[in-house]
Amino acid sequence: MTTKSLVVCFGEMLIDFVPDTAGVSLAESHGFLKAPGGAPANVACAITKLGGSSAFIGKVGEDEFGRMLVDILKKNGVNSEGVRFDQQARTALAFVTLKNNGEREFMFYRNPSADMLLKESELDIKMIKQASIFHYGSISLISEPCRSAHMAAMKAAKEAGVLLSYDPNVRLPLWPSAQAARDGIKSIWNQADFIKVSDDEVEFLTQKDPQKEDVVMSLWHDQLKLLVVTDGGKGCRYFTKSFKGKVAGFSVKTIDTTGAGDAFVGALLLSIAKTPSIMQDEAKLKEALTFANACGAIATTQKGAIPALPAMSDAQALIAQSNAK
């Protein structure tokens, strides 16, 4: 793979502690499994697991968990040269409650955590400029100095003609208030070339019905090449300047939705990095979205984000199996 199909993911990587039993509160849980997490890092791993080329840029603590996370990136074939270690702050932790339906709630330990302390001077600007896609979330916008590093990285990518990809990944407990979250997430909205939001996030950002097209279109801006709304198991909707539509999802036995959105995004970015023109070709885009839906679905059939990420053959098998029905 040439560097031009490299996807650079920027933001947080942390440890998720997932209860060994679903459907109980954190207080009632007896044991926890430690699982690597953090949406941008999950996306980077999703891409390499599908045979693509990715790098992760962020900061972890100079501690056992931080070193473990970098090892996981390396084991998954993700370029980790842009990862920095903080001597003072710890790697972030999140305790995740799994409800019976596979949905989750989060409790975070970050005050401050290493990922929030990435400085602009620590950015691997050369790597960012070599990417075909620069992908990020909104958690890195919450506090300084990470926010300034995020803005500088976006600016460098934009100037180098790199496609900007944004998945806000709303995590309300991390923001000072719901309105602060809305404002922060929207502060960089108009710079992205590609945005992926869930139906819940559309509802949160607009405070209106996410199933209504005019509500979704209120999130459109002129720089956008593609806006995708994921509707959980139902599939996704897509909007470009010239066409729009929806692609059905796959029915699977869902155990844990953690990382499903990241598997979806990774699969879609892999397709866009290989063939950027698919954003103008509706038939090819629908194929890429079907593939992304399959990857998202498979990711829900196992606990944890990174361990549940599918390989190319898994996705192809699910698509073939549903075509046969």
Side-chain angles (χ1 to χ4, degrees), residues 183-204:
D183 296 343
I185 286 164
K186 286 183 171 165
S187 69
I188 58 166
W189 198 262
N190 293 349
Q191 292 172 59
D193 298 297
F194 162 64
I195 293 175
K196 173 254 162 187
V197 271
S198 69
D199 48 356
D200 292 346
E201 287 164 343
V202 172
E203 184 171 2
F204 171 71

Side-chain angles (χ1 to χ4, degrees), residues 107-126:
M107 183 167 86
F108 292 92
Y109 283 71
R110 294 170 89 233
N111 58 335
S113 54
D115 58 287
M116 300 155 75
L117 302 177
L118 181 72
K119 297 195 288 282
E120 187 180 334
S121 59
E122 296 174 311
L123 289 172
D124 190 332
I125 294 288
K126 188 166 164 256

Side-chain angles (χ1 to χ4, degrees), residues 38-58:
N42 294 343
V43 170
C45 291
I47 289 165
T48 53
K49 197 130 178 216
L50 293 166
S53 162
S54 73
F56 175 73
I57 291 180

Side-chain angles (χ1 to χ4, degrees), residues 8-306:
V8 173
C9 301
F10 173 90
E12 69 285 351
M13 188 174 194
L14 58 142
I15 308 268
D16 285 337
F17 283 94
V18 187
D20 53 12
T21 351
V24 295
S25 69
L26 289 179
E28 293 160 347
S29 301
H30 290 292
F32 294 89
L33 304 163
K34 67 179 198 296
N42 294 343
V43 170
C45 291
I47 289 165
T48 53
K49 197 130 178 216
L50 293 166
S53 162
S54 73
F56 175 73
I57 291 180
K59 203 174 199 187
V60 293
E62 179 68 77
D63 52 40
E64 285 227 7
F65 285 153
R67 287 188 289 274
M68 175 192 122
L69 291 176
V70 172
D71 281 346
I72 285 163
L73 290 174
K74 287 178 178 161
K75 280 197 184 90
N76 281 280
V78 175
N79 180 322
S80 61
E81 287 163 28
V83 179
R84 305 290 176 254
F85 289 92
D86 196 280
Q87 307 295 326
Q88 271 77 47
R90 294 274 188 235
T91 303
L93 308 179
F95 285 84
V96 186
T97 316
L98 283 185
K99 299 186 194 159
N100 279 325
N101 63 357
E103 287 298 333
R104 65 250 141 105
E105 282 170 354
F106 296 88
M107 183 167 86
F108 292 92
Y109 283 71
R110 294 170 89 233
N111 58 335
S113 54
D115 58 287
M116 300 155 75
L117 302 177
L118 181 72
K119 297 195 288 282
E120 187 180 334
S121 59
E122 296 174 311
L123 289 172
D124 190 332
I125 294 288
K126 188 166 164 256
M127 185 195 283
I128 292 168
K129 291 185 164 177
Q130 282 171 347
S132 62
I133 299 174
F134 181 64
H135 174 73
Y136 47 86
S138 69
I139 291 173
S140 40
L141 296 171
I142 298 174
S143 46
E144 292 291 0
C146 188
R147 180 184 166 84
S148 292
H150 183 139
M151 303 305 280
M154 269 174 48
K155 185 168 181 276
K158 194 81 164 171
E159 282 168 3
V162 179
L163 187 98
L164 299 188
S165 163
Y166 185 24
D167 176 357
N169 254 310
V170 177
R171 295 285 177 268
L172 263 186
L174 295 180
W175 293 87
S177 68
Q179 196 49 49
R182 270 184 214 104
D183 296 343
I185 286 164
K186 286 183 171 165
S187 69
I188 58 166
W189 198 262
N190 293 349
Q191 292 172 59
D193 298 297
F194 162 64
I195 293 175
K196 173 254 162 187
V197 271
S198 69
D199 48 356
D200 292 346
E201 287 164 343
V202 172
E203 184 171 2
F204 171 71
L205 291 169
T206 62
Q207 297 173 279
K208 292 179 182 145
D209 180 357
Q211 293 312 315
K212 292 193 169 144
E213 192 172 304
D214 59 333
V215 171
V216 174
M217 287 314 288
S218 70
L219 295 172
W220 181 264
H221 66 79
D222 285 343
Q223 295 290 314
L224 261 184
K225 295 184 170 78
L226 174 63
L227 172 66
V228 173
V229 179
T230 53
D231 291 302
K234 296 202 294 282
C236 65
R237 290 171 277 163
Y238 59 88
F239 303 85
T240 73
K241 286 189 176 82
S242 345
F243 51 79
K244 58 180 192 225
K246 59 173 166 218
V247 180
F250 294 86
S251 63
V252 291
K253 189 178 185 311
T254 295
I255 290 171
D256 175 10
T257 58
T258 309
D262 303 325
F264 175 93
V265 170
L268 185 54
L269 293 183
L270 174 81
S271 301
I272 295 172
K274 278 186 186 161
T275 324
S277 62
I278 65 167
M279 290 187 288
Q280 287 85 47
D281 179 334
E282 189 167 12
K284 287 212 169 79
L285 180 64
K286 286 184 92 155
E287 257 174 60
L289 289 167
T290 300
F291 172 60
N293 280 342
C295 290
I298 293 164
T300 70
T301 60
Q302 229 181 300
K303 268 197 193 135
I306 294 172

